[in-house]
Amino acid sequence: IRLEQEYLQRQKDVLAKEVTYVINYIEFHVKNNTKLSEEELKNKMLRYIETIRYGKHGYIWIHDTNYYLRAHPFRQNKLNTYDIDLKDAIGTFITKQFIDETIKKPNGIFIEYFWQKPNEANFSKKIGFFRLYEKYNWVIGSGLYVDDIQKSISENKRLLEEKIDKYIRLVVFISSLVIVFIGLISFFMSKKITEVFQ
């Protein structure tokens, strides 16, 4: 249980770091931009952010605080559209939830919802992390699929169980050797004591 909790926390830390990297990237380019207009710079950064990948299914997307989709690698036909009616698999208006809750906690918030993996039909439970970039009123999100975490945990459990089995076998083998050694010493000591008495 402890290992599962630690692993889940590490995965959440990955989400937070990815979003932080994106915000640092944006801030760097905003600060150092001398050639592009603000709109050109925004568009360039949004298109780059859509190319970012991490892990097996990880990507970044951006809405603005007016509920418009600004960047998403797998929803290109919905870019710059009013996205407030978007629902997840259980009927939650997730765009509204993402944005409203991020505005309340602009430094970062985790939200659970149900979404499709890229290029797959089935929906999976997902944990998203969101932060607000206030200068442009962008809500920047990243997510990970819980079943991917469970697969990794199951694999780690299997490897851990194999290690424990090897360790137990080693302990039993060493213990057996020690018992045989002590038995031999006891036998010879007993024989010597018997000879002395005789």
Side-chain angles (χ1 to χ4, degrees):
I1 289 169
R2 180 176 56 81
L3 289 174
E4 285 183 14
Q5 290 171 343
E6 287 175 357
Y7 184 79
L8 181 59
Q9 186 56 53
R10 284 198 302 273
Q11 296 304 303
K12 285 184 172 182
D13 291 343
V14 168
L15 289 185
K17 283 178 184 175
E18 291 297 330
V19 172
T20 300
Y21 292 152
V22 168
I23 288 176
N24 291 341
Y25 167 83
I26 294 168
E27 288 178 338
F28 174 81
H29 284 279
V30 167
K31 185 178 178 182
N32 294 286
N33 177 47
T34 56
K35 297 178 181 178
L36 302 174
S37 70
E38 187 172 68
E39 284 307 310
E40 287 173 332
L41 178 63
K42 282 183 183 179
N43 189 59
K44 182 180 178 182
M45 290 188 297
L46 290 170
R47 301 297 73 84
Y48 170 74
I49 289 164
E50 288 175 336
T51 68
I52 296 171
R53 299 289 183 274
Y54 60 91
K56 189 176 179 182
H57 296 111
Y59 57 90
I60 306 289
W61 70 96
I62 297 175
H63 284 89
D64 64 26
T65 53
N66 293 317
Y67 309 103
Y68 281 84
L69 182 64
R70 296 303 180 193
H72 198 297
F74 302 107
R75 299 182 66 220
Q76 291 289 296
N77 61 329
K78 296 293 184 181
L79 291 182
N80 301 314
T81 62
Y82 190 59
D83 209 30
I84 198 168
D85 293 329
L86 182 68
K87 294 181 182 179
D88 72 355
I90 60 172
T92 303
F93 287 97
I94 53 174
T95 300
K96 182 168 174 46
Q97 183 185 20
F98 296 161
I99 292 166
D100 292 352
E101 293 192 25
T102 304
I103 289 169
K104 291 175 191 172
K105 294 186 177 179
N107 292 325
I109 184 170
F110 288 98
I111 299 173
E112 291 185 0
Y113 60 104
F114 291 83
W115 197 250
Q116 288 170 299
K117 292 181 181 177
N119 305 315
E120 291 188 19
N122 296 327
F123 286 83
S124 301
K125 188 176 182 181
K126 196 170 183 181
I127 298 172
F129 180 76
F130 302 86
R131 271 186 67 181
L132 179 66
Y133 180 65
E134 292 185 26
K135 181 176 174 65
Y136 292 158
N137 291 319
W138 284 352
V139 173
I140 302 167
S142 67
L144 57 86
Y145 293 91
V146 173
D147 58 357
D148 286 345
I149 297 173
Q150 293 301 331
K151 283 177 187 174
S152 295
I153 289 172
S154 297
E155 179 63 17
N156 287 337
K157 274 184 179 177
R158 186 185 65 77
L159 293 172
L160 183 61
E161 285 168 359
E162 286 178 3
K163 283 182 182 177
I164 290 170
D165 286 344
K166 285 179 183 176
Y167 178 73
I168 289 170
R169 284 197 294 271
L170 181 64
V171 168
V172 169
F173 176 72
I174 291 171
S175 299
S176 300
L177 286 179
V178 169
I179 289 168
V180 169
F181 181 70
I182 291 172
L184 287 172
I185 290 175
S186 299
F187 172 75
F188 286 115
M189 291 283 287
S190 174
K191 192 174 178 184
K192 282 284 183 187
I193 292 168
T194 303
E195 285 175 0
V196 168
F197 279 113
Q198 285 175 348

